[in-house]
Amino acid sequence: MQHTDIGKMKKTVRILGTHGVPAAYGGFETAAENIALFLVRKGWRVIVYCQTKGSGPIVEDVWRGIERVSIPVETDGWKGTSQFDLKSIKHACRSSKDLCLTFGYNTAVFNTLQRIKGIPNVINMDGIEWSRARWGWMKQTILYVNERIGCYVGNHLIADHPEIEKHLLTRAPQRKVSTLTYGADPVTSAPEEAVRALGLEPGSYFNLIARPIPENSILEMVQGFSAKRRGCKLVILGKYQPELDDYHREVLAAASDEVVFPGAIYDPAVVQALRFHSLAYVHGHTVGGTNPSLVEAMAATNAVIAHDNVYNRWVAQGAAVYFSDAASFGACVEQLLTSPETLATLRANSKRRFFEEFTWEHVAGQYEQLLLRYLPK
């Protein structure tokens, strides 16, 4: 595929560090897809590197105007991701001196290659991943070192939250750090069938979507909700394996019969319907920056009960009531069940805050303005 002439005519960016497009994995992939589509609409040439399973040659094609470079990797997990990142960076450096937008710093040591070759590289630095105990000391050390390297070799660093920017400013000067959040598409309607198929009544349940780990406060929320009869449900999405995980076992043991565990649901239409028709969204994340699931709940105009910390306070602001433990979570639930006025206010604030800060048009527009600063002359 010959792109030389196109490359001379158009502003060009290569997006690295995600599993690729279309998004089918997580927040980074969703961001990459929406930013890429926005830039294509604005006349950019966008190349996205995509990780595929297996072996064979690199395949290039086009999806919705985005040029894809699909790189097969046989290994799973961190090793496979590292192999993919290295191959992507080598391909990007060999092909051109195009501007790079990299999502994540887990393999920032490889980004040294772009620095050596004088290729501009803007890096989204994600959260303070090395601080999370769930990784274990070896992965924490690897992440810590790569964060330091990323802060040095990146031409510009993106924080997804003002608190993450504060952290990055301990490692890099202000001129090379910016806060750009994640986005979502507004949800104005959703069919009720998907909700009823799970045995739920629209408007009569709270919903929770989070990885079942202690830092997401799921046990405290289940305990607080189950402390008394509520007359409604708490629906918790996710894969729970009590036979393998002590924390999962604790959560399930603490749950009353009003807590529903439908398992992990990956169909975006079903998840969207669950959000849209819920009484409120509950969000127990205690670490990280701007969490995509919280933004997506606000995109559905959900009232929110959120863990009280600087990350959630900045994102949700007046769209949420806040808890710190099981008892205060229970009090928040009671407040929303007994005060229609509070519920209406939170929903109105959720809609206002979302359109103020978190639409993809707004977020991707900020990315474009930043990338324009680093286009090779």
Side-chain angles (χ1 to χ4, degrees):
M1 192 180 290
Q2 297 296 317
H3 298 301
T4 307
D5 294 337
I6 297 174
K8 287 178 181 175
M9 293 188 296
K10 290 189 173 184
K11 303 181 288 287
T12 301
V13 63
R14 294 176 181 266
I15 298 180
L16 303 96
T18 78
H19 283 72
V21 296
Y25 192 79
F28 266 168
E29 284 70 30
T30 302
E33 178 179 319
N34 282 278
I35 292 162
L37 290 171
F38 175 91
L39 293 174
V40 167
R41 291 196 299 273
K42 292 288 187 173
W44 286 65
R45 178 187 173 209
V46 182
I47 303 101
V48 175
Y49 287 83
C50 306
Q51 183 177 344
T52 58
K53 180 71 176 168
S55 59
I58 292 174
V59 176
E60 298 186 32
D61 63 6
V62 178
W63 177 78
R64 295 183 64 184
I66 301 166
E67 296 173 33
R68 298 190 298 184
V69 179
S70 296
I71 299 176
V73 177
E74 292 186 271
T75 312
D76 293 324
W78 271 43
K79 286 185 179 179
T81 300
S82 297
Q83 290 173 13
F84 166 70
D85 287 346
L86 181 56
K87 289 179 179 180
S88 300
I89 291 164
K90 283 182 174 179
H91 185 280
C93 291
R94 186 172 61 246
S95 300
S96 66
K97 287 209 170 186
D98 294 333
L99 168 63
C100 292
L101 170 61
T102 301
F103 283 89
Y105 63 79
N106 295 3
T107 54
V109 63
F110 301 148
N111 296 129
T112 305
L113 187 58
Q114 286 133 310
R115 186 76 175 191
I116 291 169
K117 290 181 173 286
I119 296 171
N121 187 21
V122 175
I123 305 177
N124 182 314
M125 295 296 288
D126 200 8
I128 311 172
E129 289 295 312
W130 57 262
S131 68
R132 298 187 177 190
R134 66 189 174 95
W135 294 126
W137 70 268
M138 185 176 291
K139 284 185 180 178
Q140 284 181 297
T141 302
I142 292 169
L143 288 168
Y144 180 86
V145 171
N146 275 283
E147 183 198 66
R148 289 284 186 164
I149 293 170
C151 288
Y152 179 73
V153 301
N155 294 75
H156 202 93
L157 312 176
I158 295 172
D160 69 18
H161 190 287
E163 289 299 316
I164 302 297
E165 179 173 335
K166 284 182 189 177
H167 168 70
L168 293 177
L169 289 176
T170 67
R171 284 132 164 75
Q174 177 72 67
R175 59 181 166 76
K176 65 180 284 186
V177 183
S178 299
T179 292
L180 306 181
T181 68
Y182 289 120
D185 293 316
V187 182
T188 56
S189 65
E192 295 182 353
E193 290 77 15
V195 172
R196 296 189 188 278
L198 293 170
L200 302 170
E201 187 66 27
S204 66
Y205 63 90
F206 295 80
N207 85 100
L208 187 165
I209 305 170
R211 186 180 289 114
I213 53 177
E215 68 185 33
N216 290 338
S217 313
I218 296 169
L219 179 59
E220 292 87 342
M221 291 189 286
V222 168
Q223 289 171 332
F225 189 87
S226 301
K228 60 181 283 189
R229 299 300 296 176
R230 301 293 180 182
C232 66
K233 305 287 187 184
L234 171 61
V235 182
I236 301 179
L237 271 58
K239 186 177 182 179
Y240 285 78
Q241 298 176 294
E243 69 282 0
L244 301 176
D245 190 295
D246 290 342
Y247 185 71
H248 296 186
R249 192 158 48 250
E250 273 190 273
V251 170
L252 293 170
S256 73
D257 61 2
E258 292 184 306
V259 182
V260 180
F261 295 89
I265 298 176
Y266 298 108
D267 184 338
V270 176
V271 174
Q272 193 174 82
L274 278 168
R275 281 200 183 97
F276 185 76
H277 292 293
S278 67
L279 188 146
Y281 180 73
V282 300
H283 186 76
H285 292 62
T286 58
V287 296
T290 298
N291 185 270
S293 64
L294 179 53
V295 172
E296 287 163 4
M298 293 164 63
T301 321
N302 282 163
V304 178
I305 302 176
H307 185 273
D308 193 357
N309 59 68
V310 290
Y311 301 110
N312 297 337
R313 282 266 180 189
W314 182 82
V315 175
Q317 297 187 7
V321 288
Y322 296 90
F323 75 95
S324 56
D325 54 21
S328 56
F329 179 80
C332 289
V333 169
E334 192 68 16
Q335 183 181 3
L336 266 57
L337 288 174
T338 57
S339 175
E341 297 82 6
T342 300
L343 201 58
T345 299
L346 293 178
R347 286 173 174 164
N349 289 344
S350 185
K351 183 177 183 178
R352 176 194 54 76
R353 178 67 175 143
F354 169 74
F355 280 102
E356 168 187 285
E357 187 68 50
F358 300 111
T359 66
W360 276 124
E361 194 75 10
H362 175 66
V363 173
Q366 290 179 308
Y367 267 86
E368 182 185 26
Q369 291 307 307
L370 177 59
L371 293 173
L372 285 169
R373 290 166 51 186
Y374 290 94
L375 275 176
K377 299 294 187 284

